[in-house]
Amino acid sequence: MTIVHSDMGLYIDLKENIVNVVVVENKRMLSNLTNELYIQCNGGYGEFVLAEKDKLFKFSEKVVFVPEPFSISCNDKKILSLLHKELCNEALDNLYEETSSINSAVANYMENLVSRLPYPITFSDDLDILGLLKLMHISFDDYSETLCEKIINYIKILSSLTKFNTIVFLNLKAFLDDWELKEVYKIAFYNKMHIVLIESYLYDKLDNENTIIFDKDLCVIEF
């Protein structure tokens, strides 16, 4: 899979077990690049192209853009809806008797409740599992002691629940040390998740990194 922006001269080859680090020293290019990424990852249009062989993909279907890492949450609406869907399937496929029993108990309770009032009241006797999950505020335990742990948990859940296969971070190296970055890389590789780092400053290169530099004059260096 590749990420290409012809006008900027950017070509990123998303290979297994390789982290692509794109260092952009030109501030205008950095601003334009991150703005287009943000727009396309949220369903808008731009000049970035995401392709694998001859097939094109929408960024909003495969790529998550993280402009700052502290705001990431496993309780994002899209992720939570997928969690609720999986729990609904589990309830109907593997806990059918328990679900039917709860449905019957709730229906009996509602029948008893409404019969106590002198009004013509109706209700549905079919239990809405999704509504029950929302009523019980089912969500992920999103607490993490460190930013590194937060990112690792986020990668694991994205990989398990969604179809996203690439995360693009902006200036992540400013917040994690080398050991933490290596831990994030290790989890990403294990979960088949591509990592792209957009950086405004060149840091020491780590193992499994491919570095592309756009200097202030937009000359390109790759190593």
Side-chain angles (χ1 to χ4, degrees):
M1 183 169 281
T2 58
I3 296 175
V4 178
H5 195 299
S6 299
D7 290 346
M8 294 184 184
L10 178 62
Y11 179 92
I12 301 173
D13 191 3
L14 300 175
K15 295 180 179 179
E16 190 171 324
N17 298 339
I18 293 293
V19 172
N20 284 281
V21 181
V22 182
V23 180
V24 185
E25 296 177 346
N26 184 289
K27 293 182 179 180
R28 180 173 295 181
M29 178 181 176
L30 180 63
S31 176
N32 292 337
L33 186 154
T34 53
N35 182 54
E36 281 201 50
L37 270 177
Y38 178 82
I39 291 172
Q40 288 189 238
C41 287
N42 284 280
Y45 294 95
E47 298 301 318
F48 277 101
V49 176
L50 179 67
E52 186 170 27
K53 296 181 180 179
D54 294 328
K55 187 174 182 180
L56 299 178
F57 296 92
K58 290 184 178 179
F59 268 72
S60 57
E61 296 175 350
K62 293 292 184 180
V63 181
V64 175
F65 179 49
V66 180
E68 63 91 6
F70 294 99
S71 64
I72 62 174
S73 173
C74 296
N75 290 315
D76 174 88
K77 286 184 179 180
K78 291 181 181 179
I79 300 175
L80 269 187
S81 66
L82 292 171
L83 172 65
H84 291 165
K85 181 179 180 181
E86 190 167 312
L87 286 170
C88 285
N89 292 336
E90 189 69 22
L92 296 174
D93 294 341
N94 299 317
L95 292 174
Y96 182 78
E97 291 185 5
E98 290 89 338
T99 302
S100 296
S101 177
I102 292 173
N103 187 51
S104 178
V106 171
N108 291 336
Y109 171 79
M110 292 303 300
E111 182 68 36
N112 185 29
L113 179 63
V114 301
S115 68
R116 294 171 179 269
L117 298 178
Y119 314 119
I121 301 174
T122 64
F123 63 91
S124 172
D125 59 1
D126 186 17
L127 181 64
D128 178 12
I129 299 298
L130 181 59
L132 178 62
L133 295 175
K134 292 180 178 179
L135 180 66
M136 298 300 294
H137 302 289
I138 297 293
S139 62
F140 289 102
D141 182 357
D142 217 11
Y143 173 77
S144 301
E145 292 187 356
T146 66
L147 178 59
C148 179
E149 181 183 346
K150 185 182 185 75
I151 293 171
I152 285 173
N153 290 338
Y154 185 66
I155 290 172
K156 289 178 178 178
I157 290 173
L158 276 185
S159 174
S160 297
L161 274 179
T162 77
K163 295 182 179 180
F164 293 117
N165 64 6
T166 303
I167 307 178
V168 181
F169 291 96
L170 178 62
N171 285 327
L172 184 62
K173 288 199 173 195
F175 301 103
L176 300 183
D177 61 30
D178 289 353
W179 182 86
E180 290 173 318
L181 284 167
K182 290 176 182 178
E183 289 298 301
V184 169
Y185 294 173
K186 181 171 66 176
I187 295 300
F189 296 161
Y190 180 80
N191 287 277
K192 308 298 183 184
M193 186 71 71
H194 298 297
I195 299 292
V196 177
L197 305 184
I198 307 296
E199 301 287 339
S200 55
Y201 179 81
L202 178 61
Y203 294 85
D204 291 339
K205 185 177 181 179
L206 303 180
D207 293 339
N208 301 100
E209 286 185 349
N210 176 66
T211 303
I212 304 169
I213 303 173
F214 290 84
D215 68 14
K216 292 182 180 180
D217 298 319
L218 299 183
C219 295
V220 182
I221 304 169
E222 184 169 359
F223 62 95

